[in-house]
Amino acid sequence: IAAMIPLLLLAGLSSSALHVLGPVMSGRYSGTKLGRGMSFWMVGGELGYSMGPLLLVSILSVLTLRWLPVLSLVGILTSAFVWHRMKDVTTVTAAEGRTSLRLNWRSKLGSLTKVLLPASILVLFRALMHISLTTFLPVLMTNQGASLWFAGTAFSIVGGAGVIGSIFAGSLSDRFGRKPFLALSFLTTPALMLMFLKAGAAWQQVVLLALIGFFGLSIMPVLLALVLEAYPKERSIVSGIYMMVNFLMMALASVIIGRLADLNSLQFTFRLSAFVLLLGLPILLFLPKDKKFAI
C-alpha cells in the first residue's frame, strides 16, 4: 500500500494536467466553434473512461497482473506521440494574457468570479445528479428488483447516451447559444428522473435512462465552453480553477449522496437530486448573455 500512494499521486497529477490543459489546447483548434471542440474533448474522454476498464480487465484476465507494466508501455508510447505532435502548441491565447493575470491578480478576482461562481454552483447541482446516475444507479436498480446484469447495463445506457448528447449539445450551442441548452438540460432531466422512479416496465426504464443520459450528461462541453469563452486571455488558469471546482464538487456530491442514502434511501436521494437540479434554472440568470455565434 505504501508503494501505491506515490504512484496514485503521480497518476492524479498526470490526470489533472491533462484535464486542465487539454480543453485549452482543444479550444485553440476550435476557432469560433468552441462548443464543438469541447464536445470532441468530452466524447474522447468519456469513450476512454467507458472502454478503458473493460479493455484492461479483458486483457488482464488472460495475461494476469504481471503483464501490467508491459501494457503501460501503450500509454507511454501514446503520450510520447501526443507530445511529439503538440510540443510546439502554446496554451497562451494572447501575449498580454499571460502577464496581465500575473501582475493584476487581485483586480482579476472580481471578473473571474463573475462567471466562475455561478458556473461552480451549477457544477455542484449537476454533480449531485451525476453521482446519482452513475455511482449509485446500479445499487438503486438492484434495490428495486432489477438483475445485476440489467443494473450494469443501465450504467452503459446512461453513459452512451451522454456521449451522443455531448456531440449534439456542444455543436448546437455554437449556433444557438449556451444558456438555452443549459436551461433545457436543467429543466428536462429532473422530470425524466422522476418518471424513471415510477416506471414499471424494463423497456420504459431503458428509454428513460437513454433520455436522462442524453439531456443530463451532455451539458459538460457546453458549461466548459461557456467558461472558457468568457475569459479568452486567461483560459489556462480559468480551466485549472474550473476543473479543481469540478473535482471537488464531485467528491463532495459523493459524500452527500452516500450519507443521505444511509439516512433515508437511494430513492429519496435520487428524487432529491432531481429537485436540486431545478435550482440551477435561476442561477442561469447570473451568467453573461450569449455571444453571437458563427453558423
Side-chain angles (χ1 to χ4, degrees):
I1 296 178
M4 290 184 64
I5 293 177
L7 292 177
L8 291 172
L9 178 61
L10 289 174
L13 292 174
S14 174
S15 177
S16 298
L18 175 67
H19 282 83
V20 169
L21 298 180
V24 181
M25 298 176 74
S26 299
R28 287 188 60 83
Y29 291 100
S30 302
T32 58
K33 299 185 181 297
L34 186 59
R36 184 173 65 178
M38 294 304 102
S39 289
F40 289 160
W41 166 256
M42 295 299 300
V43 167
E46 288 297 327
L47 284 176
Y49 179 79
S50 302
M51 297 174 59
L54 224 87
L55 183 63
L56 187 61
V57 169
S58 301
I59 294 176
L60 291 180
S61 64
V62 178
L63 299 178
T64 72
L65 282 173
R66 293 185 177 182
W67 286 82
L68 188 59
V70 178
L71 293 177
S72 66
L73 291 176
V74 178
I76 295 173
L77 292 175
T78 303
S79 297
F81 173 76
V82 173
W83 173 81
H84 177 72
R85 292 295 302 269
M86 307 191 72
K87 61 182 179 180
D88 297 324
V89 177
T90 177
T91 57
V92 181
T93 55
E96 66 272 20
R98 177 169 50 189
T99 56
S100 62
L101 186 63
R102 182 170 65 241
L103 294 177
N104 302 303
W105 173 256
R106 292 183 178 179
S107 63
K108 288 285 183 179
L109 283 177
S111 62
L112 287 175
T113 55
K114 185 177 181 180
V115 176
L116 280 174
L117 183 58
S120 298
I121 298 174
L122 293 178
V123 167
L124 174 60
F125 293 161
R126 180 194 173 276
L128 294 170
M129 174 269 296
H130 187 272
I131 294 299
S132 296
L133 286 177
T134 54
T135 305
F136 293 96
L137 178 63
V139 182
L140 170 66
M141 296 193 66
T142 53
N143 288 347
Q144 291 182 331
S147 65
L148 288 175
W149 178 86
F150 186 48
T153 304
F155 179 84
S156 300
I157 293 172
V158 173
V163 169
I164 297 174
S166 296
I167 298 176
F168 287 98
S171 300
L172 291 177
S173 70
D174 286 331
R175 183 170 183 174
F176 300 107
R178 318 289 183 209
K179 292 173 70 173
F181 280 88
L182 293 176
L184 179 64
S185 175
F186 278 79
L187 184 62
T188 305
T189 306
L192 293 171
M193 293 175 66
L194 295 176
M195 291 171 62
F196 171 77
L197 288 176
K198 294 185 176 297
W203 69 268
Q204 293 175 335
Q205 293 180 328
V206 169
V207 171
L208 288 170
L209 285 173
L211 291 174
I212 290 171
F214 186 88
F215 288 103
L217 303 186
S218 61
I219 61 170
M220 274 304 290
V222 181
L223 260 176
L224 188 54
L226 185 146
V227 171
L228 295 183
E229 197 169 50
Y231 307 101
K233 295 181 180 179
E234 299 91 14
R235 285 184 177 176
S236 295
I237 184 64
V238 167
S239 177
I241 295 173
Y242 177 79
M243 287 301 172
M244 177 193 69
V245 170
N246 185 62
F247 291 149
L248 289 175
M249 293 303 180
M250 291 292 285
L252 178 62
S254 299
V255 176
I256 293 175
I257 294 296
R259 183 55 178 164
L260 288 176
D262 288 338
L263 294 175
N264 296 277
S265 66
L266 281 174
Q267 287 82 358
F268 170 81
T269 56
F270 196 86
R271 189 179 294 107
L272 180 64
S273 64
F275 283 114
V276 168
L277 202 59
L278 289 172
L279 298 179
L281 290 172
I283 303 299
L284 296 178
L285 299 175
F286 295 92
L287 293 172
K289 293 183 178 180
D290 283 318
K291 299 179 180 180
K292 298 296 182 180
F293 296 95
I295 298 177

